[in-house]
Amino acid sequence: MKRYIVFLKQVPLSTKVEIDPVTKTLKRSSALTRTNPDDLHALQTAVNLKKKTGAEIVAVSMGPEMAVEVLREALQYGADKAVLLSSRAFAGSDTLCTSKSLAAAARKIGDYDLLFFGKMAVDGDTAQVGPEVAGQLDIPQITQLTAITAISDTSVSVTRNAGCKLQHLEVKMPCAIMVSRENCELENVTLRAWQKARQQPITRWNEHDLGLSSDEIGLCASPTQVVATEVPKHDKVVEWIEDGHAVMNIIENNVLCQTK
C-alpha cells in the first residue's frame, strides 16, 4: 500500500500575538489558532490522490498539546492516522531544527511514497521547512507545484511553475511536494467525518521516540537567533477639510514639495 505523510502546522489566527521577552519568539499559547492554510491544501491534494491510489495518509504536526486540534481537523478531511510531535525540547526550533524533527518522524513512520507540505506558513513565510526535510532525507523535492498529472508505482508526474515557463517532470518516489492554496479547492467536512475524527486515537512522540537528543533540537540548537521582534505601529492622522479651497491648497503644497 502506498503511504503519504502530510505535515501540518498550527499558526496564530491573527497578528495579535504576544512576544516572549526572553526568546523573542511568538507566545503561541497567547493566541487563537488555526491550521496553516497551505497545509490544509496539501492535505486535500493528498486526499484527492488517495482516491486514485488507495494510499494511507498519515498526518503529522509538531507543537504543544493544543496542536492536537490540527490533527483532529486533518482526520476530518480524510487522514487515516495522526502523529503529534510534542515536547518542551522542540520549543523555539528554527527551520533547520524543525526539519530534523520532521525528517526523523518520517523515518520512524517509514515506507512512505510522498511527503506533502504547505508551501509556507503564514506565521513565518520562509518556505524552507519542506525543502529542508527533503534535504535531510536526501529525496527529490517539487516546489512551485501547478498540478499532479499522473502517478505510478515508482514515480509521480507533475507540472510546476518555472518562472515564465511550465515544466513537466516525472519524479522518482519517494519525494516531497510543496502545495499552495492555488493547487486545489478544499472539500466540505461532513458531520460523520467530524464524529469519527473525535474518536480516533492520536499517537504522541517526543524527541526520545525520534532518536534525537535535546542538544540538536530546540531554541539553543537553532543557528537562527532572533535578535528582536516587534509589531509595527500604524499611526493615522485625521484632518477635517471644510471647503474646496483648503483641498486645493493641500494639493498645491504637495506638488511644490515634490518638485523641490
Side-chain angles (χ1 to χ4, degrees), residues 135-235:
Q136 296 279 349
L137 298 172
D138 195 24
I139 61 175
Q141 56 179 278
I142 302 166
T143 58
Q144 303 298 328
L145 177 73
T146 300
I148 297 176
T149 55
I151 186 168
S152 69
D153 290 337
T154 58
S155 66
V156 59
S157 298
V158 302
T159 302
R160 68 179 298 272
N161 191 326
C164 59
K165 298 180 180 180
L166 291 178
Q167 287 184 329
H168 303 284
L169 305 174
E170 183 176 351
V171 184
K172 184 178 179 181
M173 297 189 296
C175 67
I177 302 177
M178 320 307 153
V179 181
S180 67
R181 281 168 279 189
E182 292 76 21
N183 293 136
C184 66
E185 294 290 332
L186 296 179
E187 295 181 356
N188 294 324
V189 175
T190 64
L191 177 59
R192 183 177 180 181
W194 179 86
Q195 292 173 329
K196 181 180 179 182
R198 306 312 294 183
Q199 298 172 355
Q200 285 182 260
I202 293 179
T203 302
R204 288 167 172 78
W205 291 338
N206 57 29
E207 71 276 17
H208 304 298
D209 297 313
L210 300 179
L212 299 172
S213 61
S214 57
D215 60 356
E216 59 184 327
I217 55 175
L219 181 65
C220 294
S222 297
T224 305
Q225 297 296 320
V226 180
V227 177
T229 303
E230 62 183 36
V231 179
K233 295 181 179 180
H234 301 283
D235 297 324

